[in-house]
């Protein structure tokens, strides 16, 4: 990633949330998600309180609500699945707006929607306040498996390269008069996909050889180490701590 380049999910800022070390934010989001998942589905007030906690974090991080709403489009498949459960579910049924719906299915749909939405919003706030490459540095600090972290690093680094390669191949096809209109053009697209795979594989081989020639031994060197103070850990873990306190209340 070159200097001055930011991922589309990241919103540059100088808020207190932006300044927290990535390992603190990663652990805070994970702990918050665990508390949310462990919350019984009948505790409506608890889920509302969790939403207020995330809203407070968004305000502190100065992340606009419109940004969060746009990024929540990733949740649409879960929403569609949740709406389908009461229709096909078994057990006791009730009528809602003229539709016969399963009561256990309604509970299951609510459970999925509430917990998935809170988890997605927490992840969006993490991505909006932390650059992807910095998140991976935080993952290293948390002692995640080195191989997985390196795979994620290379995926992040070369995803744009592969997308650009796909774009150039599409332009090359269209400049020669090709336009995919129906099923008859699938073989051409399949050959393009095969060529893209071969080019990507060969690029990976060249990158690996270049790394070996520069002394790579299986671990990526950490150039800019990011440490966290006790105060920063306390600030980050305030979110899951508050969620845990809410979870423990006698609703």
């Amino acid at each position: 990633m070159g200097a001055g380049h930011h991922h589309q999910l990241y919103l540059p800022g100088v808020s207190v949330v932006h300044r927290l070390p990535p390992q603190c934010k990663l652990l805070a989001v994970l702990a918050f998600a665990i508390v949310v998942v462990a919350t019984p589905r009948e505790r409506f007030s608890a889920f509302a309180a969790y939403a207020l906690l995330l809203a407070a974090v968004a305000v502190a991080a100065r992340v606009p609500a419109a940004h969060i709403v746009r990024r929540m489009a990733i949740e649409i498949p879960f929403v569609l699945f949740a709406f389908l459960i009461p229709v096909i579910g078994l057990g006791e049924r009730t009528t809602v707006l003229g539709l016969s719906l399963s009561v256990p299915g309604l509970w299951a749909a609510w459970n999925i929607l509430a917990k998935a939405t809170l988890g997605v919003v927490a992840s969006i706030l993490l991505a909006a306040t932390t650059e992807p490459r910095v998140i991976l540095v935080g993952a290293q600090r948390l002692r995640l498996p080195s191989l997985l972290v390196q795979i994620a690093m290379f995926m992040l680094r070369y995803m744009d390269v592969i997308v650009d390669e796909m774009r150039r191949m599409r332009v090359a096809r269209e400049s020669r008069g090709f336009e995919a209109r129906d099923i008859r053009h699938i073989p051409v697209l399949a050959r393009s996909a095969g060529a893209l795979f071969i080019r990507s594989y060969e690029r990976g081989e060249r990158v690996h050889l270049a790394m070996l020639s520069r002394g790579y031994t299986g671990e990526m060197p950490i150039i800019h180490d990011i440490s966290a103070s006790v105060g920063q850990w306390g600030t980050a873990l305030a979110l899951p701590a508050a969620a845990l306190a809410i979870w423990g209340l006698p609703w």
Side-chain angles (χ1 to χ4, degrees), residues 95-228:
T95 301
V96 179
L97 299 177
L99 295 175
S100 177
L101 302 177
S102 166
V103 174
L106 287 172
W107 277 112
W110 156 252
N111 193 46
I112 292 174
L113 283 177
K115 296 179 180 180
T117 299
L118 291 170
V120 168
V121 172
S123 300
I124 291 172
L125 291 174
L126 172 64
T129 57
T130 318
E131 291 187 77
R133 59 180 180 83
V134 179
I135 291 179
L136 294 176
V137 173
Q140 283 184 311
R141 291 286 302 180
L142 292 176
R143 299 294 188 268
L144 266 67
S146 177
L147 182 59
L148 294 180
V149 175
Q150 290 181 51
I151 291 174
M153 283 183 174
F154 285 112
M155 182 186 70
L156 177 64
R157 171 62 182 86
Y158 287 99
M159 184 62 69
D160 290 340
V161 176
I162 294 175
V163 170
D164 288 340
E165 188 76 22
M166 292 175 56
R167 188 179 299 111
R168 287 193 295 270
M169 294 174 68
R170 177 179 58 82
V171 171
R173 290 195 304 267
E174 293 178 352
S175 67
R176 290 164 174 78
F178 174 82
E179 185 177 352
R181 295 179 178 177
D182 52 50
I183 194 173
R184 293 176 300 172
H185 297 121
I186 289 180
V188 177
L189 298 178
R191 286 193 292 271
S192 297
L196 177 64
F197 173 80
I198 292 173
R199 292 182 184 182
S200 302
Y201 182 83
E202 291 177 343
R203 186 191 299 274
E205 288 290 312
R206 293 194 299 271
V207 171
H208 183 246
L209 290 175
M211 292 169 58
L212 291 176
S213 67
R214 289 163 174 79
Y216 175 72
T217 58
E219 293 186 3
M220 297 293 289
I222 299 178
I223 301 176
H224 301 291
D225 196 7
I226 302 176
S227 59

